[in-house]
Amino acid sequence: MNLAVIIPAAGFSTRYAEALKAETATDLARSKLDEDLGGRPVLQRTVELFANHDAVQTIIVAGPNADAAPEAWSEFKNRYADKLGLLGVKLCQGGRTHRYETVKAALALVPDDATHIAVHDAARPCTPPELL
């Protein structure tokens, strides 16, 4: 099996940011993907689920769309490109509005020799290995 994994990470964590704002009474704009989980960001923990799996040959993380949010795409690359690159991850821009657009953008980077494609939400880092 030659598995390609697409990890959509193009959202803006709007509900999370609103809940955080209500809880802390501050205007902090943080993404849930940046939160610390055992010393590493949530997104990195999610990627590690697949980077350590024998069947996974390709991991593609789709971040914000540069046309819709140029600063968000730039910040995303600055925050994650080096760390995820060390894990062999390819980054791409996600869709402008919807998750299906993000997945479609990432599908363009799936190698022709991939036998299976999985899509896993970036904000789900605690998936048990048995499920994978």
Side-chain angles (χ1 to χ4, degrees), residues 39-119:
R40 293 193 285 283
V42 167
L43 178 56
Q44 185 175 341
R45 289 289 187 179
T46 301
V47 168
E48 288 171 351
L49 289 172
F50 298 99
N52 297 323
H53 196 285
D54 292 338
V56 176
Q57 302 300 311
T58 305
I59 301 172
I60 303 159
V61 173
N65 181 281
D67 295 332
E71 288 180 20
W73 170 244
S74 180
E75 289 173 16
F76 185 84
K77 286 191 309 182
N78 288 338
R79 246 187 339 271
Y80 294 114
D82 290 346
K83 291 177 189 170
L84 298 183
L86 291 172
L87 295 171
V89 171
K90 298 177 186 178
L91 291 182
C92 74
Q93 295 177 39
R96 291 183 63 88
T97 310
H98 301 286
R99 183 175 302 251
Y100 76 86
E101 295 169 322
T102 298
V103 173
K104 181 180 177 184
L107 282 169
L109 297 179
V110 171
D112 291 338
D113 64 345
T115 59
H116 296 78
I117 300 170
V119 179

Side-chain angles (χ1 to χ4, degrees), residues 37 42 45-46 49 120 122-129 131:
L37 183 60
V42 167
R45 289 289 187 179
T46 301
L49 289 172
H120 185 85
R124 304 290 178 259
C126 298
T127 302
L131 183 59

